[in-house]
Amino acid sequence: DTGVSQDPRHKITKRGQNVTFRCDPISEHNRLYWYRQTLGQGPEFLTYFQNEAQLEKSRLLSDRFSAERPKGSFSTLEIQRTEQGDSAMYLCASSQRKRDIGTGELFFGEGSRLTVL
Amino acid sequence: AQRVTQPEKLLSVFKGAPVELKCNYSYSGSPELFWYVQYSRQRLQLLLRHISRESIKGFTADLNKGETSFHLKKPFAQEEDSAMYYCALSGYGNNRLAFGKGNQVVVIP
């Protein structure tokens, strides 16, 4: 296992188009997180899954954003009708943790960089 | 609500000089504090966590609940310490990890 992998690494799109990112977590990890990072800022939490259940969503996740983890393994993050403000690095992370006892160590992917023209 | 504050954005130090990165947090529950590091062209990775109480790559950090701080320290900076450092907070009853804005550390040879 090579760790958390994300695809694509870079995506350039025009405003109004839809984009989808994929994340493959470390295989035995039950938790999966999506974060967004813009220039000069730390990662900002978007959403998290415990197995296939999406248990928390940030207010940053507008209705144009949707995330799935259908079989409790890989996850997708889709952004519909992209806007220039969506340009950012989208990070995926995974961990093995029970509920409500904190996150423990997160293992991050290399990120998917989105540029909206 | 949980909040992490890292006041300095950029820290330049000479090789061999001490390094201290400040982190203050706000959280009503029992906190779990971390320092993550991102070296150039590498992914974000854990440096250390307060419950481990260990030194990693010469770095230490002590959780001070009275001052709500978790400052990162290293007595003698090395060139390979040049990186972005993020303080992060989680805790019991909380399933998200909140990050500060980060500190860029540049070690001058």
Side-chain angles (χ1 to χ4, degrees):
Chain A
D1 188 70
T2 57
V4 178
S5 61
Q6 294 187 243
D7 183 72
R9 294 288 311 283
H10 304 274
K11 179 71 176 179
I12 300 173
T13 191
K14 293 183 179 179
R15 188 177 54 186
Q17 297 295 304
N18 299 343
V19 296
T20 300
F21 301 114
R22 176 181 169 123
C23 172
D24 287 89
I26 293 172
S27 57
E28 64 268 24
H29 284 180
N30 62 347
R31 287 193 179 185
L32 187 147
Y33 294 79
W34 285 100
Y35 280 80
R36 182 173 70 186
Q37 187 172 22
T38 53
L39 196 63
Q41 302 294 318
E44 297 173 294
F45 171 83
L46 292 179
T47 189
Y48 114 91
F49 293 83
Q50 183 99 11
N51 300 308
E52 67 276 8
Q54 187 174 18
L55 296 184
E56 250 183 88
K57 291 195 291 187
S58 164
R59 288 174 295 175
L60 293 174
L61 213 66
S62 75
D63 55 5
R64 296 185 297 105
F65 287 69
S66 62
E68 294 183 343
R69 194 183 183 198
K71 297 182 180 179
S73 56
F74 74 92
S75 175
T76 59
L77 176 69
E78 181 183 17
I79 309 173
Q80 295 182 326
R81 304 181 303 281
T82 52
E83 301 172 357
Q84 288 183 326
D86 298 331
S87 296
M89 178 74 84
Y90 290 86
L91 297 170
C92 177
S94 69
S95 71
Q96 179 65 26
R97 197 79 169 184
K98 295 179 182 177
R99 270 186 83 169
D100 293 334
I101 58 167
T103 63
E105 177 182 0
L106 296 192
F107 294 82
F108 282 86
E110 293 179 292
S112 293
R113 182 172 294 284
L114 174 64
T115 302
V116 181
L117 303 177
Chain B
Q2 53 190 135
R3 184 178 299 171
V4 178
T5 304
Q6 295 179 249
E8 297 112 355
K9 196 66 182 169
L10 174 64
L11 185 67
S12 298
V13 297
F14 286 101
K15 179 181 174 181
V19 178
E20 181 175 13
L21 302 180
K22 296 188 185 300
C23 172
N24 288 89
Y25 68 91
S26 173
Y27 184 59
S28 56
S30 180
E32 188 175 15
L33 273 297
F34 306 82
W35 277 97
Y36 279 77
V37 62
Q38 189 165 27
Y39 301 103
S40 179
R41 298 188 180 86
Q42 293 188 28
R43 64 186 68 195
L44 194 59
Q45 59 187 284
L46 179 68
L47 178 62
L48 55 78
R49 53 198 297 182
H50 88 270
I51 61 173
S52 299
R53 294 179 174 268
E54 57 187 347
S55 173
I56 305 293
K57 298 184 179 182
F59 285 97
T60 58
D62 292 316
L63 176 61
N64 185 324
K65 291 188 177 181
E67 296 183 357
T68 61
S69 68
F70 188 57
H71 303 327
L72 184 68
K73 300 177 184 179
K74 183 170 182 176
F76 308 104
Q78 302 299 314
E79 289 181 62
E80 56 265 29
D81 297 328
S82 295
M84 280 294 295
Y85 292 81
Y86 296 95
C87 184
L89 164 70
S90 176
Y92 283 78
N94 189 331
N95 295 307
R96 62 174 73 181
L97 188 64
F99 287 85
K101 292 187 176 183
N103 294 120
Q104 176 77 53
V105 172
V106 176
V107 179
I108 303 165

